[in-house]
Amino acid sequence: MKNFKSITRQRLVTLLFLSYLIIALLAPDIGQLLIGKRTLSISLGDGDCKWTEADVLPNDAEVDGTLFASYPAAGMRMAWQQTEGLTGIQMRDDFFHLELPKIGLVKTQYPHYEGIWSYASNLNRVILLIRNPRWALPSYHTLINELEYAHTWEMAYNELPDVFTRRAPMDLWIKWRDYRTEGEIELWGNHIDFWMYNGSKYWFDVDFERNGQDPFRFRNETERPWPQDLHCVYDTNCFPRAVISFEHLQHPILGPGELQKIANALRDKEGMNVLEDEAINCIWHETWIKAPAPNNNDRGGPLREAYVFTLDQLTLMATKLEDMIEKYSTGAWTNHPLAIDLVTNFQEYLTEVNDEIAELNANPGPTPAPNPNYFIDLKAWYKSIGKGDRYSKIKVQSMSMWDKVKYLYDDDGV
């Protein structure tokens, strides 16, 4: 009798285990509730999949981490949604929730002045995300407008509920565009160069905001080689393992292939579970449907096509793209796989920008009346919203660096 009870108990345990396993495979949502843990979206075989929401990594997790870097508003939201669907791990932000260790998957805008290096040496590789500056710049302005042009962590955090709710009023877009386009086109290119050249510093050490605004400036091409950011010497190798195109990642045909590049960079890393290759096409489509966060299509206001540039601004953009194509298709970059990815995208960007230039030349708009004070007024507006007053004399005088830079300031202020 005793042996019978023992055998029966063993069979019951086995039966329960098999039941839980069958539920987890055939009804993943119920299985997650019963088992109490989810690892990642589930490959069901034959290219089918089940999308599941990503989990927060425990703060003490042992994981071989990856940094996702992009110029602001270059499509990082879509990239992290797709990566979370791929890995089941929530991506952390470099700027918010600084009390949390930056491990696993982290997104950053560094070294753009909107980003910070808050992840120490926790991350071992970089994936670089790029987007056409023609659309990245208006998207960036929309984002900072939703954040009320916040220039501190506290101010930005208070405005987070408004993100992805509205596009900027047209008058504010025109002011920001006319004051910042040239500088942001330069920053867009510098951001890519920083990572591709393993931490090439385009700013001077005294420029504590990495902003390049008066009275400081960025380094220029005649001053190369630029020094290397010490983060890329001691914390991580900043050279990207993959270049991901926002335009390709969102494309219904090219998208799964771009997601495959992310999977290849993450696979077989400690603590990083990545969905099987056969299910990547499925999870790309499922993420588009299931990802809970709002996106650009949820915004009210003018259509994105309404945010246009002047002919001169588009010409600046085209020139920058031509320079980037030349840089990454010659010399040491010839036939380099990442450089080929960059140049392919830059050529697509240039075609789009040149098409818009041709349209403007064929149908020129009205010429605005000359206003000799226009740039002075723009500078005063930008300073009034906090973005243009990051190096005020009073602020810098209170810093230890004052003796090194005081010669840059006049007696009246800046």
Side-chain angles (χ1 to χ4, degrees):
M1 186 67 176
K2 185 177 180 180
N3 290 338
F4 174 77
K5 288 182 177 179
S6 176
I7 294 171
T8 302
R9 189 179 298 112
Q10 292 173 5
R11 287 179 176 176
L12 179 60
V13 171
T14 302
L15 181 61
L16 286 172
F17 172 77
L18 291 174
S19 298
Y20 275 67
L21 183 61
I22 291 169
I23 291 172
L25 290 173
L26 300 182
D29 294 333
I30 299 174
Q32 288 157 27
L33 292 174
L34 291 173
I35 297 172
K37 184 178 181 182
R38 184 197 61 78
T39 53
L40 73 163
S41 297
I42 300 164
S43 173
L44 302 177
D46 297 325
D48 292 330
C49 67
K50 173 70 175 181
W51 182 93
T52 53
E53 193 168 353
D55 287 335
V56 178
L57 275 177
N59 289 344
D60 60 352
E62 294 290 335
V63 59
D64 190 348
T66 299
L67 182 67
F68 285 71
S70 74
Y71 174 87
M76 184 61 79
R77 176 169 292 258
M78 183 186 63
W80 67 249
Q81 287 174 340
Q82 288 288 347
T83 305
E84 287 184 355
L86 184 70
T87 63
I89 297 175
Q90 281 191 15
M91 191 175 291
R92 297 186 177 184
D93 189 279
D94 67 341
F95 200 68
F96 296 112
H97 298 295
L98 295 178
E99 75 280 4
L100 297 176
K102 305 303 180 181
I103 59 174
L105 304 172
V106 179
K107 58 188 178 75
T108 189
Q109 296 164 352
Y110 187 89
H112 191 280
Y113 55 83
E114 299 287 4
I116 58 175
W117 192 288
S118 58
Y119 24 88
S121 57
N122 295 336
L123 308 171
N124 297 323
R125 72 195 50 77
V126 175
I127 293 177
L128 178 62
L129 176 69
I130 62 170
R131 185 183 186 184
N132 191 341
R134 165 61 184 90
W135 301 107
L137 267 63
S139 185
Y140 170 42
H141 175 255
T142 288
L143 181 61
I144 60 175
N145 176 263
E146 289 173 321
L147 295 173
E148 298 294 340
Y149 301 100
H151 52 91
T152 67
W153 176 90
E154 295 83 2
M155 293 172 64
Y157 194 83
N158 291 335
E159 304 298 333
L160 278 181
D162 289 335
V163 171
F164 287 92
T165 61
R166 68 177 190 273
R167 292 191 176 90
M170 196 57 61
D171 62 321
L172 294 181
W173 155 247
I174 291 173
K175 287 180 179 179
W176 185 88
R177 177 199 71 183
D178 291 353
Y179 189 72
R180 285 300 306 159
T181 289
E182 183 174 359
E184 291 299 331
I185 290 173
E186 183 179 10
L187 272 171
W188 175 86
N190 284 344
H191 188 276
I192 294 171
D193 286 348
F194 173 86
W195 297 104
M196 292 298 294
Y197 284 87
N198 194 20
S200 187
K201 283 179 62 173
Y202 53 81
W203 67 96
F204 291 91
D205 288 337
V206 292
D207 185 355
F208 54 93
E209 293 269 5
R210 306 183 307 278
N211 206 353
Q213 290 182 1
D214 191 39
F216 304 116
R217 67 173 179 85
F218 290 141
R219 304 178 195 272
N220 58 50
E221 291 294 327
T222 65
E223 295 168 315
R224 286 190 182 273
W226 299 345
Q228 188 178 20
D229 189 341
L230 293 181
H231 288 302
C232 303
V233 176
Y234 298 109
D235 290 332
T236 192
N237 183 346
C238 292
F239 185 72
R241 299 295 179 90
V243 170
I244 304 300
S245 161
F246 165 77
E247 289 80 10
H248 291 185
L249 186 59
Q250 72 169 349
H251 192 276
I253 297 175
L254 301 177
E258 209 71 3
L259 185 58
Q260 179 73 64
K261 290 160 61 176
I262 297 176
N264 293 343
L266 300 180
R267 196 178 302 285
D268 299 326
K269 305 301 183 291
E270 181 182 4
M272 193 67 59
N273 293 321
V274 179
L275 203 64
E276 290 87 344
D277 286 348
E278 68 171 359
I280 285 180
N281 183 71
C282 173
I283 204 62
W284 182 91
H285 288 89
E286 286 294 295
T287 297
W288 268 109
I289 298 169
K290 302 289 179 58
N295 58 50
N296 196 47
N297 294 329
D298 297 319
R299 285 182 164 124
L303 297 175
R304 73 166 195 151
E305 290 78 12
Y307 297 87
V308 297
F309 292 90
T310 67
L311 182 59
D312 288 343
Q313 291 162 355
L314 288 171
T315 301
L316 277 174
M317 207 173 290
T319 299
K320 169 57 73 174
L321 289 166
E322 289 167 352
D323 291 344
M324 297 292 276
I325 291 169
E326 173 71 15
K327 178 186 300 182
Y328 287 103
S329 60
T330 58
W333 294 112
T334 303
N335 296 325
H336 191 288
L338 295 188
I340 291 172
D341 279 352
L342 285 176
V343 170
T344 297
N345 283 279
F346 294 160
Q347 289 171 335
E348 292 172 3
Y349 300 166
L350 181 60
T351 297
E352 188 171 9
V353 171
N354 280 337
D355 286 347
E356 196 165 343
I357 289 173
E359 177 65 24
L360 275 178
N361 281 325
N363 300 283
T367 302
N371 179 0
N373 295 320
Y374 184 57
F375 191 79
I376 296 173
D377 293 342
L378 288 180
K379 186 174 182 179
W381 168 77
Y382 197 66
K383 186 175 181 179
S384 73
I385 62 174
K387 288 290 186 181
D389 198 24
R390 303 170 84 109
Y391 304 112
S392 70
K393 185 176 182 179
I394 293 175
K395 178 180 179 179
V396 179
Q397 278 179 324
S398 67
M399 303 173 69
S400 60
M401 58 178 275
W402 171 247
D403 286 341
K404 296 179 181 179
V405 300
K406 61 184 179 181
Y407 74 95
L408 297 171
Y409 290 78
D410 58 37
D411 294 335
D412 298 325
V414 176

